[in-house]
Amino acid sequence: MNKAKRKPVIAGNWKMNKTATEAVELIDALIPAVKDADCTVVICTPFTTLATAVEKCKGTNICVGAENVHFEKSGAYTGEISADMLVDLGVKYVITGHSERRQYFAETDETVNKRTKAALEAGLTAIVCVGESLAQREQGVTEELVRLQTKIALQNVTAEEMSRVIIAYEPVWAIGTGRTATSEQAEEVCAAIRKVLGELYGEEIAEATVVQYGGSMNAANAEELLSKPNVDGGLIGGASLKADAFGAIVAAASK
Ligand code: PGA
């Protein structure tokens, strides 16, 4: 393990929260809260807030990401947003395969792969989410499931593109529930993900790839989770909507 090779990435996932007007206030509070970060800081916001967020974050250390992207370049896909549209706005990151997309919007491993490919081909960095449900954890299939999700999400992703891939391990039972995985559970699965990356791309790429934990990460538990050798950052939902909490997580990742 060589965590020194990887700069932690703390990414907020705002989900369906904040109008563009409300976002201005939050970003104004976030800028001073994260300005001394020694990690990469990203906020992933709703589509309607992206232009505002990109404008507000210019000249700061905050990068802006979207929460989803469509896989076609353009065409008759009412309501969808392409990777080129995001790039044109100045967006640098995008989340793919979030469990809420899988659960409520019928995303499959195959569509997650297509979205990830489209994002990478357009030059975006993809934060690819994987993770098991509570039933799957209780059935003892967490590792197999996460291996499968990771492998399918990365079909046809080249070794070169892997420098713009982040994997976020997000156990579904920990998302928005206040029930965090223990640091041992997070480490175990993040290490398993890195092992798959090694099988697919070799040790060097596996060691260089950022693997985040997500699921009720907060100011109180971030330091312990991030102390694990294979946990290189976090994807933060609820706590990313509060500047002080998000700032504390960023500070924990900067130690
Ligand atoms: P949470 O969400 O931090 O509110 O649990 C994490 C996520 O869904 O990315």
Side-chain angles (χ1 to χ4, degrees), residues 25-107:
E25 200 180 323
L26 177 54
I27 295 169
D28 277 335
L30 282 172
I31 292 170
V34 304
K35 72 174 186 343
D36 298 322
D38 189 19
C39 65
T40 302
V41 181
V42 185
I43 54 171
C44 298
T45 80
F47 290 131
T48 49
T49 300
L50 289 171
T52 305
V54 167
E55 191 54 37
K56 292 282 305 173
C57 292
K58 266 191 195 136
T60 77
N61 60 338
I62 304 177
C63 305
V64 177
E67 299 174 12
N68 193 23
V69 63
H70 196 258
F71 35 83
E72 295 296 343
K73 279 193 91 58
S74 62
Y77 300 98
T78 303
E80 292 292 330
I81 305 285
S82 75
D84 288 343
M85 292 172 184
L86 297 177
V87 170
D88 182 62
L89 276 187
V91 169
K92 303 281 187 226
Y93 288 75
V94 65
I95 298 171
T96 60
H98 192 279
S99 63
E100 287 152 15
R101 299 289 324 165
R102 296 178 191 254
Q103 191 178 343
Y104 305 131
F105 302 99
E107 295 260 351

Side-chain angles (χ1 to χ4, degrees), residues 13 15 95 98-100 129 170 174-178 214-217 235-239:
N13 173 12
K15 310 194 178 184
I95 298 171
H98 192 279
S99 63
E100 287 152 15
C129 301
E170 296 211 306
I175 294 177
T177 57
S216 299
M217 194 188 265
L235 184 56
I236 323 293

Side-chain angles (χ1 to χ4, degrees), residues 113 146-155 196 199-200:
N113 172 237
V146 167
R147 282 179 62 88
L148 187 97
Q149 288 177 332
T150 306
K151 278 181 128 165
I152 300 176
L154 297 178
Q155 292 282 308
V196 182
E199 290 163 18
L200 296 173

